[in-house]
Amino acid sequence: MQWNLRLRAAERGIWKSAQMRRLLADVGLEISAGKMSSWWATSPPTLKLDELDVLCAALDCTPNDLLS
């Protein structure tokens, strides 16, 4: 499985994990800097469905766009 968070974020002009974290906070998902850094650098070992839902809403994409 491939985690495409950075690719999807880049398509929206988001180049840093801090920018992504702020965007997620704006749509209601507060996550720690450590967790965001982990999501940004590698595939997450676990991901809650509600977190995936917010990621997709923030990036205007589907789960299939983030996970391939």
Side-chain angles (χ1 to χ4, degrees), residues 16-45:
K16 296 183 179 185
S17 64
Q19 291 173 292
M20 186 70 215
R21 189 169 171 233
R22 283 190 296 274
L23 176 63
L24 293 175
D26 289 345
V27 294
L29 180 62
E30 295 282 341
I31 61 170
S32 69
K35 188 173 192 176
M36 184 74 251
S37 179
S38 173
W39 285 2
W40 198 253
T42 62
S43 296

Side-chain angles (χ1 to χ4, degrees), residues 3 5 20 23-25 27-32 35-36 38-39 44-59 61-63 66-67:
W3 180 238
L5 176 63
M20 186 70 215
L23 176 63
L24 293 175
V27 294
L29 180 62
E30 295 282 341
I31 61 170
S32 69
K35 188 173 192 176
M36 184 74 251
S38 173
W39 285 2
T46 61
L47 185 65
K48 295 178 184 175
L49 290 178
D50 61 332
E51 293 170 337
L52 181 59
D53 187 44
V54 173
L55 279 168
C56 289
L59 295 172
C61 67
T62 68
L66 289 175
L67 303 165

